[in-house]
């Protein structure tokens, strides 16, 4: 459970890659299922429509925690883990602002166009961080976040 929820320690590249890809695929599958198979609901049943969003939000903390530990492994600042949430923040800002422009269809269309461009740029930055964390090896020594991943297990097995 510490792997998913703790912000302390370090994680190697392979577990990081496997976990991030798994979470991203799960989030995409939830979104796809919601778009394809969930019929439009009356306003009284909107709580059912929120379930995929709640599941996605629950998955965000483990994704953040594992990214922080990967950053620890390469001795980069943990605040960089927030980069992966920029697209989500952008979506929230866009949809909270777009409600004010629904009367002007042309303005709303321009907002959607600019929001799409902005979200694509932010998604590329987030993907770039993932690639860097997947490629850069961790330091081979104990740092302030602990020993390299796997070292403690090997030491325990020696006894």
């Amino acid at each position: 459970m510490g792997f998913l929820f703790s912000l302390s320690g370090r994680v190697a590249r392979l577990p990081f890659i496997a976990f991030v890809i798994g979470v991203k695929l799960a989030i995409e599958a939830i979104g796809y299922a919601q778009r394809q198979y969930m019929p439009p609901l009356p306003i009284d049943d909107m709580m059912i429509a929120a379930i995929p969003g709640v599941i996605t939000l629950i998955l965000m903390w483990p994704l953040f925690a594992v990214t922080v530990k990967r950053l620890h492994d390469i001795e980069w600042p943990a605040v960089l883990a927030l980069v992966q949430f920029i697209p989500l923040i952008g979506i929230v800002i866009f949809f909270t602002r777009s409600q004010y422009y629904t009367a002007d269809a042309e303005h709303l269309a321009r907002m959607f166009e600019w929001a799409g461009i902005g979200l694509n740029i932010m998604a590329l930055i987030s993907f770039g961080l993932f690639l860097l964390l997947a490629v850069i090896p961790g330091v081979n020594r104990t740092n302030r976040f602990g020993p390299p991943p796997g070292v403690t297990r090997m030491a325990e097995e020696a006894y």
Side-chain angles (χ1 to χ4, degrees), residues 19-42:
F19 181 74
V20 170
I21 289 175
V23 167
K24 297 285 186 177
L25 287 174
I27 290 170
E28 288 301 317
I30 289 167
Y32 177 80
Q34 183 180 24
R35 288 187 303 273
Q36 295 297 317
Y37 302 112
M38 188 174 283
L41 298 170

Side-chain angles (χ1 to χ4, degrees), residues 72-83:
H72 287 171
D73 193 40
I74 61 174
E75 295 184 322
W76 283 13
V79 73
L80 289 175
L82 295 173
V83 167

Side-chain angles (χ1 to χ4, degrees), residues 1-155:
M1 293 304 279
F3 178 77
L4 297 177
F5 298 107
S6 171
L7 295 178
S8 63
R10 296 166 59 175
V11 68
R13 287 183 287 180
L14 187 57
F16 168 77
I17 293 168
F19 181 74
V20 170
I21 289 175
V23 167
K24 297 285 186 177
L25 287 174
I27 290 170
E28 288 301 317
I30 289 167
Y32 177 80
Q34 183 180 24
R35 288 187 303 273
Q36 295 297 317
Y37 302 112
M38 188 174 283
L41 298 170
I43 196 72
D44 297 340
D45 295 333
M46 289 309 284
M47 289 303 291
I48 294 171
I51 291 172
V54 170
I55 293 170
T56 300
L57 287 174
I58 291 169
L59 290 173
M60 290 299 174
W61 179 260
L63 181 65
F64 177 73
V66 171
T67 303
V68 165
K69 286 186 273 201
R70 181 71 193 120
L71 288 163
H72 287 171
D73 193 40
I74 61 174
E75 295 184 322
W76 283 13
V79 73
L80 289 175
L82 295 173
V83 167
Q84 64 193 345
F85 299 110
I86 291 174
L88 178 66
I89 294 166
I91 290 170
V92 169
I93 291 170
F94 171 73
F95 282 110
T96 56
R97 296 285 302 150
S98 66
Q99 67 182 347
Y100 300 112
Y101 301 105
T102 55
D104 183 4
E106 183 179 324
H107 186 76
L108 188 61
R110 274 197 313 273
M111 278 186 66
F112 269 103
E113 183 179 334
W114 281 106
I117 292 168
L119 289 174
N120 284 332
I121 291 169
M122 290 184 274
L124 283 173
I125 293 169
S126 179
F127 183 66
L129 175 65
F130 168 75
L131 286 179
L132 285 172
L133 294 177
V135 171
I136 297 173
V139 294
N140 270 341
R141 59 179 163 63
T142 299
N143 64 16
R144 63 186 175 156
F145 304 107
V151 169
T152 55
R153 282 181 291 212
M154 287 189 288

